[in-house]
Amino acid sequence: MVIDKSIPKATAKRLSLYYRTFKRFNAGNIEKASSKQIAEAIGIDSATVRRDFSYFGELGRRGFGYNVKKLMNFFADILNDHSITSVALVGCGNMGRALLHYRFHERNKMQIIMAFDTDDNELVNTKTDDGIPIYGISTIKEHLKDSNCQTAILTVPSLKAQEVADRLVQAGIKGILSFSPVNLHLPEGVFVQYVDLTSELQTLLYFMNQNH
């Protein structure tokens, strides 16, 4: 399912939260949920929930609420969580190794199928305990060209981020989740999401300090 380009980015970023919430409701045998219940579960207001859902047509009925199983499957379709998404990871430092051991597939249908690091890293040409092969960065194109992988996680030093991103694009990658705190310049049709843990922590500390 393709998301309408007119949907605001803020709404798009909440789609996975809605999906997770409906999965949790379903696991708890909740059949119907109101916008208030959904909002409280996510930490937003019910008007935002109703506005977000309005972009997708009639997802519920006034006075009836939302059918949990139906909406769980609806958001699974939007997020393409009915099929396995193969992911490549580049950068096997502390963050990279932690992600390699994170069991994405037990929570969603995402799976790291291969990893890359500098060619002289002792991990190159070995496998993780879960059997994920680790290759040298110089072989990115070689190993990705025959795979169905179009998504990558980038956990390399900032100075190397653009160079590695260019390699990934040349190898057919269409989406990058970057933990490197630099703005990547990517061609049209290639998407990037940034995760800046330092910035998030500094923002948290700012709000904590403002409360003193």
Side-chain angles (χ1 to χ4, degrees), residues 126-191:
T126 67
K127 292 185 178 181
T128 67
D129 293 340
D130 291 328
I132 301 170
I134 302 173
Y135 305 114
I137 282 179
S138 65
T139 67
I140 282 178
K141 192 170 183 179
E142 171 189 340
H143 285 101
L144 286 178
K145 68 177 181 180
D146 294 325
S147 75
N148 63 345
C149 180
Q150 294 187 318
T151 310
I153 300 174
L154 197 58
T155 62
V156 300
S158 299
L159 290 175
K160 291 289 185 181
Q162 185 64 56
E163 175 188 336
V164 175
D166 291 340
R167 284 181 180 267
L168 290 170
V169 171
Q170 291 167 10
I173 291 294
K174 298 297 183 184
I176 297 174
L177 179 66
S178 177
F179 285 81
S180 301
V182 293
N183 186 50
L184 299 175
H185 300 282
L186 302 171
E188 187 175 350
V190 179
F191 302 92

Side-chain angles (χ1 to χ4, degrees), residues 1-3 11-21 23 56 71-85 108-110:
M1 181 179 295
V2 178
I3 298 176
T11 297
K13 287 184 176 181
R14 284 190 286 268
L15 297 180
S16 64
L17 297 179
Y18 290 129
Y19 180 40
R20 187 186 309 165
T21 297
K23 285 206 299 183
F56 302 98
L71 269 292
M72 180 183 71
N73 290 327
F74 175 80
F75 285 107
D77 285 340
I78 286 178
L79 296 168
N80 194 32
D81 202 49
H82 286 308
S83 58
I84 296 291
T85 296
N108 295 93
K109 291 184 171 61
M110 296 177 283

Side-chain angles (χ1 to χ4, degrees), residues 21-35:
T21 297
F22 282 114
K23 285 206 299 183
R24 188 165 67 247
F25 284 169
N26 186 64
N29 295 315
I30 298 173
E31 295 181 359
K32 300 174 186 175
S34 66
S35 57

Side-chain angles (χ1 to χ4, degrees), residues 94-132:
N94 292 333
M95 175 64 71
R97 288 197 297 273
L99 291 170
L100 278 174
H101 290 97
Y102 184 80
R103 296 180 178 274
F104 291 96
H105 61 280
E106 291 183 359
R107 296 163 179 83
N108 295 93
K109 291 184 171 61
M110 296 177 283
Q111 186 172 9
I112 295 177
I113 61 167
M114 65 181 80
F116 300 88
D117 206 298
T118 53
D119 291 1
D120 59 355
N121 188 306
E122 62 183 12
L123 294 174
V124 169
N125 295 324
T126 67
K127 292 185 178 181
T128 67
D129 293 340
D130 291 328
I132 301 170

